[in-house]
Amino acid sequence: AKDSGRGQMCLYEPLMDEKIERSRTLAADMQGALERGEFHLMFQPIYDLAGERILSCEALLRWTSRNHGAISPAEFIPIAEDNGLIVAIGSWVIREACRVASDWPAEVKIAVNLSPIQLRSANLPTVIMGALASSGFAADRLELEVTESVLLEDIEASLAALDAINRLHVRTTLDDFGTGYSSLSYLTKFPFQTLKIDRSFITDLEQSHASVAIVQTVIDLAAKLGMRTVAEGVETQAQLDQLRRTRCDAVQGYLLARPMPANMVGAMFAGGAAG
Ligand code: C2E
Ligand code: CA
Ligand code: CA
Ligand code: CA
């Protein structure tokens, strides 16, 4: 801590120092963690509106560190973005997701989250092609999720990267829609096949008529623009009932299924749970 005397800062700074210290330790540990195989993926099913068929599963990254235990992606992904390891880790995620999903029924897709840094990295198309080739996975079963905030930072570069992905016949999803600053008109600019409505709107569906109106408007507009819609973070039956009154295409959330390990997804499909 700085020489902050005996004011309030004394209560605050040791905590900040601990946080910075932990970030440094995690950053230093990350490369080794990747080599030691400490990262793994969980998979959360995305269902059709009836809740009967699994259309896709979202791959969610987990780090179980031998030194620090389970670490949330909300904590370690920003660190990986800072130290640049997100490209190596993200490439592993794409390869691993395609490898796992290649055992699933052919109508089930896999959704993979992309960091903005990955989206703008020049070798992304090569990484994608490599993952598809080594797993034998069909390009049009891969969906890459991008959050809206990244697009506006550099519109030209984002457009070029999305075009390159779409040219490989890989699909793109606009994730967390509604949380950023983009206007609805941006939807016409970017070539997304799917729009994922952020959990915050779904959470509010029960309490707020305004949220119902917003969600309905977004779904209608997306449909007119030829985009599919997914509602994320569906936790209650009331939310699902509300969504069923819309023309939303797919739903994802704890109500339907939590993220689960690859072997559980495999067992579900083997048991005939998919279409
Ligand atoms: P996201 O892409 O919005 O992913 C959805 C998050 O919401 C996941 O958290 C998921 O477990 C959680 N979730 C799913 N259903 C529900 C629900 O009904 N209620 C609530 N409260 N939460 C639900 P998770 O796995 O902790 O991931 C957090 C974020 O970390 C993700 O948000 C994504 O931005 C990022 N992330 C995860 N895996 C990757 C990855 O492989 N690469 C990159 N770049 N980011 C990733
Ligand atoms: Ca996502
Ligand atoms: Ca999301
Ligand atoms: Ca979200």
Side-chain angles (χ1 to χ4, degrees):
K2 289 177 193 159
D3 52 330
S4 53
R6 294 194 150 267
Q8 293 175 291
M9 296 300 276
C10 285
L11 295 170
Y12 165 70
E13 285 195 348
L15 285 173
M16 273 309 288
D17 284 351
E18 268 171 44
K19 221 189 139 199
I20 292 166
E21 188 49 41
R22 180 171 156 95
S23 291
R24 281 205 194 108
T25 313
L26 294 184
D29 219 27
M30 226 172 246
Q31 174 82 51
L34 187 58
E35 285 155 13
R36 289 191 296 274
E38 291 182 0
F39 290 97
H40 72 277
L41 297 179
M42 296 284 268
F43 300 88
Q44 186 180 32
I46 300 170
Y47 290 84
D48 69 346
L49 202 51
E52 284 166 1
R53 281 170 36 117
I54 296 175
L55 305 174
S56 179
C57 291
E58 180 175 3
L60 295 161
L61 185 58
R62 297 289 177 264
W63 179 10
T64 311
S65 161
R66 64 172 183 189
N67 298 322
H68 309 279
I71 307 161
S72 154
E75 181 177 13
F76 71 75
I77 284 173
I79 298 172
E81 287 173 336
D82 275 350
N83 71 10
L85 267 174
I86 190 65
V87 175
I89 296 172
S91 300
W92 176 84
V93 170
I94 296 172
R95 283 193 300 273
E96 178 70 1
C98 290
R99 186 186 69 78
V100 170
S102 62
D103 288 336
W104 298 349
E107 66 276 10
V108 181
K109 299 183 172 65
I110 179 86
V112 175
N113 292 287
L114 272 196
S115 156
I117 293 167
Q118 265 179 295
L119 181 70
R120 297 203 195 109
S121 87
N123 73 342
L124 180 63
T126 310
V127 169
I128 296 170
M129 285 189 286
L132 296 173
S134 64
S135 60
F137 195 67
D140 62 1
R141 291 174 67 192
L142 176 61
E143 306 177 300
L144 298 179
E145 300 195 354
V146 181
T147 56
E148 106 189 277
S149 58
V150 331
L151 304 174
L152 304 182
E153 289 164 20
D154 189 341
I155 293 178
E156 291 308 314
S158 301
L159 264 178
L162 290 169
D163 280 339
I165 293 170
N166 284 155
R167 272 200 302 276
L168 299 175
H169 303 287
V170 168
R171 292 161 193 263
T172 49
T173 297
L174 182 53
D175 198 2
D176 296 347
F177 183 74
T179 55
Y181 300 99
S182 70
S183 72
L184 291 174
S185 69
Y186 278 106
L187 289 181
T188 61
K189 273 207 171 64
F190 295 105
F192 292 105
Q193 285 78 48
T194 305
L195 195 153
K196 198 180 262 199
I197 305 167
D198 190 65
R199 176 162 71 89
S200 54
F201 295 99
I202 310 307
T203 307
D204 284 351
L205 277 180
E206 284 170 72
Q207 295 86 25
S208 153
H209 290 293
S211 282
V212 174
I214 290 169
V215 168
Q216 185 64 67
T217 303
V218 167
I219 290 169
D220 290 346
L221 180 72
K224 284 193 184 110
L225 296 174
M227 276 182 274
R228 301 174 60 259
T229 43
V230 182
E232 75 172 4
V234 179
E235 292 182 347
T236 70
Q237 187 62 45
Q239 290 162 1
L240 185 58
D241 291 342
Q242 192 61 255
L243 286 164
R244 283 184 177 149
R245 287 193 277 274
T246 70
R247 286 186 301 145
C248 181
D249 295 293
V251 283
Q252 175 182 16
Y254 294 165
L255 177 70
L256 297 127
R258 294 204 169 235
M260 58 183 94
N263 61 350
M264 265 182 75
V265 185
M268 251 169 97
F269 290 139

